[in-house]
């Protein structure tokens, strides 16, 4: 079967800068479909938006699989409309947004199937069923039949992650087109070593997508993927996409030892950050010796009460300790902060910024709280009547959409985010210290690119969206 994998445009998220990473989920799906002897092509419309119709015409797929996060969902629907009007292909949706709201795309009549949750096994079985079987017998689908929408049956998460093939990076045309801001090179690849998260952060849906149980690949399996990327794809840098990379200390230390023995000489980083209370001097030293140059920590707030209410359950003492050890070891650091928690006051928001200044990471990101579907915050705001009609395209972290249950107005939250960025970065000492730590022309270019992106997003007027 000819199958086209599509990632929607993301201009409403990243503007003209494009996405930082290739869509790892689709590359996993592509690998599984190719292992099942299907003819698979991939198009990232964030990079090549003008090629879609030509590819649809020339490749003539029998199935088109489209992934989407919340802010790309409207674009995904428009793609589905074109597919249905210009081809006879079956349209399949997957990804975080539709896994939480699987009935929504089916109501349009432009989508045939929605893959709910992890899709590697489901999509292979669906392709087989479309060719000669009954899709109703495939677990993990949402679909319509006789005018009714229904779930076919629950698909259990993949328990043995080692059984899955590695993501197929040969589907990606040009890896250098992706540019994560913390990278030190242009050949950056991503790996996920585990799935699942035991925490209940009110602003996150990870545990609902992957479950609370952490399922972890073996050290040997992860190392084999890394070796393959270095030898076959000339990887210079690998960023890990786990939510809980350091949750198992023994695994982390064994992994670091294995990487050292292999002598890969590759830069390592963590695209989602680490939990500050799951690292110590031994862990950070091992990570550095294995090739880690940058660590990030999701701090979220500088207020103990808000930290507890958010479900993050993170000690501020542990946060300060993690940054202190990282700095002592010469690691680059990132800090991630959220403004606009339910019942948050202006004084509490200012305390978060004061903590950011005190921690003084090399890079800090300040985000207004975005109520993603499936999160506790989303339910609270929905019940409070704050969300109205859902303009999903405005739900990006940089889109300026700021409904709020805090004790600040939406405009005030957005203004504080802008102010925090300016006050954090527009310090001569900060600027020159950052320049001194740059180790390559690529790193300098990516840092400047990030600065320009943030400047355009937050420096001017018209960023905030008052609800």
């Amino acid at each position: 079967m000819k199958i086209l994998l599509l990632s929607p445009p993301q201009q409403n998220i990243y503007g003209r800068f494009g996405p930082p990473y290739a869509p790892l989920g689709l590359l996993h799906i592509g690998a599984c479909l190719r292992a099942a002897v299907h003819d698979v092509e991939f198009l990232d419309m964030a990079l090549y938006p003008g090629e879609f119709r030509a590819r649809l015409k020339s490749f003539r797929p029998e199935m088109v699989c489209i992934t989407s996060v919340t802010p790309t969902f409207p674009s995904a629907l428009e793609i589905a409309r074109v597919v249905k009007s210009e081809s006879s292909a079956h349209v399949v949706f997957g990804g975080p947004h539709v896994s939480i709201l699987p009935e929504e795309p089916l109501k349009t009549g432009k989508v045939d199937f929605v893959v709910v949750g992890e899709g590697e096994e489901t999509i292979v079985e669906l392709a087989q069923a479309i060719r000669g079987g009954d899709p109703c017998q495939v677990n993990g689908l949402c679909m319509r039949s006789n005018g009714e929408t229904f779930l076919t049956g629950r698909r259990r998460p993949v328990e043995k992650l080692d059984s899955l093939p590695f993501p197929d990076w040969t589907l990606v045309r040009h890896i250098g087109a992706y540019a994560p801001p913390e990278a030190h090179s242009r050949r950056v690849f991503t790996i996920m070593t585990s799935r699942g998260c035991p925490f209940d952060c009110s602003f996150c849906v990870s545990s609902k997508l992957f479950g609370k149980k952490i399922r972890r690949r073996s050290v040997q399996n992860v190392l084999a993927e890394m070796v393959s990327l270095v030898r076959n794809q000339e990887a210079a840098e690998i960023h890990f996409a786990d939510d809980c990379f350091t949750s198992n200390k023994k695994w982390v230390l064994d992994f670091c030892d294995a990487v050292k023995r292999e002598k890969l000489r590759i830069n390592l980083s963590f695209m989602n950050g680490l939990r500050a209370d799951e690292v110590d001097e031994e862990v950070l030293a091992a990570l550095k010796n294995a090739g880690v140059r940058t660590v990030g920590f999701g701090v979220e707030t500088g207020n103990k009460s808000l930290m507890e209410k958010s479900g993050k359950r993170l000690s501020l003492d542990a946060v300060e300790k993690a940054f202190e050890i990282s700095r002592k070891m010469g690691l680059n650091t990132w800090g991630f902060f959220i403004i606009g928690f339910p019942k948050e006051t202006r004084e509490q928001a200012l305390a978060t910024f004061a903590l950011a200044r005190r921690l003084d990471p090399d890079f800090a990101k300040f985000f207004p709280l975005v109520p993603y579907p499936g999160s506790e915050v989303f339910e609270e705001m929905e019940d409070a009547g704050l969300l109205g009609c859902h303009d999903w395209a405005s739900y990006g972290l940089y889109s300026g959409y700021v409904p709020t249950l805090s004790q600040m107005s939406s405009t005030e939250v957005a203004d504080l985010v802008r102010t925090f960025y300016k006050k954090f970065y527009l310090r001569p000492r900060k600027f020159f210290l950052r320049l001194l730590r740059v180790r390559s022309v690529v790193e300098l270019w990516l840092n400047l690119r990030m600065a320009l992106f943030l400047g355009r997003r937050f420096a001017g007027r018209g960023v905030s969206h008052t609800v």
Side-chain angles (χ1 to χ4, degrees), residues 10-323:
Q10 300 185 41
Q11 281 82 357
N12 60 316
I13 304 176
Y14 299 107
R16 67 180 183 84
F17 290 96
Y21 296 102
L24 188 61
L26 279 185
L27 302 185
H28 272 287
I29 294 295
C32 291
L33 288 170
R34 281 185 166 178
V37 202
H38 294 286
D39 186 2
V40 180
E41 291 191 4
F42 162 66
L43 177 64
D44 192 335
M45 293 180 64
L47 301 178
Y48 314 106
E51 297 184 10
F52 167 50
R53 278 186 162 88
R55 183 74 68 90
L56 192 63
K57 184 177 181 180
S58 63
F59 185 51
R60 301 183 67 179
E62 298 164 73
M63 185 163 74
V64 176
C65 302
I66 308 169
T67 188
S68 78
V69 292
T70 297
T72 64
F73 178 69
S75 296
L77 284 180
E78 176 58 22
I79 295 168
R81 184 193 66 78
V82 174
V83 172
K84 282 300 185 185
S85 65
E86 299 184 13
S87 80
S88 59
H90 297 275
V91 175
V92 183
F93 268 32
H97 183 83
V98 297
S99 288
I100 298 296
L101 301 174
E103 296 183 4
E104 186 174 13
L106 295 171
K107 293 176 182 178
T108 67
K110 308 300 181 185
V111 177
D112 300 298
F113 305 99
V114 173
V115 174
V116 179
E118 297 176 19
E120 289 92 349
E121 296 175 339
T122 304
I123 198 68
V124 172
E125 293 179 19
L126 175 61
Q128 182 179 353
I130 288 175
R131 270 292 178 87
D134 182 5
C136 294
Q137 301 302 312
V138 177
N139 287 337
L141 290 177
C142 190
M143 56 185 292
R144 290 179 68 84
S145 180
N146 299 320
E148 298 292 327
T149 301
F150 65 96
L151 289 166
T152 56
R154 180 174 176 268
R155 168 75 63 176
R156 294 181 63 83
V158 179
E159 192 64 35
K160 296 181 179 179
L161 296 178
D162 283 9
S163 67
L164 296 175
F166 300 151
D168 192 341
W169 289 92
T170 64
L171 290 165
V172 176
R173 184 186 311 179
H174 178 43
I175 190 62
Y178 300 96
E182 70 272 30
H184 305 281
S185 72
R186 294 302 303 272
R187 297 197 65 77
V188 180
F189 295 78
T190 48
I191 287 179
M192 200 166 190
T193 76
S194 66
R195 297 179 183 178
C197 179
F199 299 97
D200 292 303
C201 298
S202 63
F203 49 88
C204 182
V205 296
S206 180
S207 62
K208 292 186 178 180
L209 295 172
F210 294 111
K212 288 192 172 184
K213 177 185 176 182
I214 297 178
R215 294 160 285 135
R216 193 173 293 281
R217 295 165 59 187
S218 67
V219 168
Q220 294 74 19
N221 184 256
V222 176
L223 187 65
E225 183 177 358
M226 294 173 67
V227 170
S228 174
L229 287 175
V230 172
R231 293 178 180 173
N232 300 326
Q233 299 295 329
E234 299 180 348
E237 192 162 341
I238 290 174
H239 291 191
F240 296 102
D242 302 49
D243 289 312
C244 301
F245 186 89
T246 51
S247 63
N248 184 322
K249 183 175 180 178
K250 182 182 183 303
W251 187 96
V252 173
L253 297 178
D254 289 346
F255 167 78
C256 291
D257 285 343
V259 172
K260 280 186 64 179
R261 287 196 304 271
E262 193 65 38
K263 299 179 180 179
L264 290 179
R265 294 183 177 84
I266 188 170
N267 291 325
L268 306 176
S269 187
F270 305 95
M271 56 190 285
N272 290 337
L274 304 173
R275 274 191 68 97
D277 57 0
E278 291 182 347
V279 299
D280 55 22
E281 194 158 349
E282 184 181 14
V283 166
L284 289 171
L287 290 173
K288 182 179 180 181
N289 290 333
V292 172
R293 291 183 59 182
T294 301
V295 291
F297 299 101
V299 182
E300 324 310 356
T301 177
N303 181 269
K304 292 181 180 180
S305 175
L306 290 178
M307 185 75 79
E308 185 66 26
K309 291 175 182 177
S310 74
K312 181 86 178 188
R313 305 201 305 270
L314 183 63
S315 160
L316 294 179
D317 290 337
V319 170
E320 300 213 32
K321 187 66 174 178
F323 276 92

Side-chain angles (χ1 to χ4, degrees), residues 442-462:
V442 170
E443 186 179 355
L444 175 63
W445 176 76
L446 290 172
N447 283 187
L448 292 174
R449 188 175 183 266
M450 179 186 69
L452 181 59
F453 169 77
L454 292 175
R456 288 187 172 184
R457 286 290 179 179
F458 294 113
R461 294 181 179 179

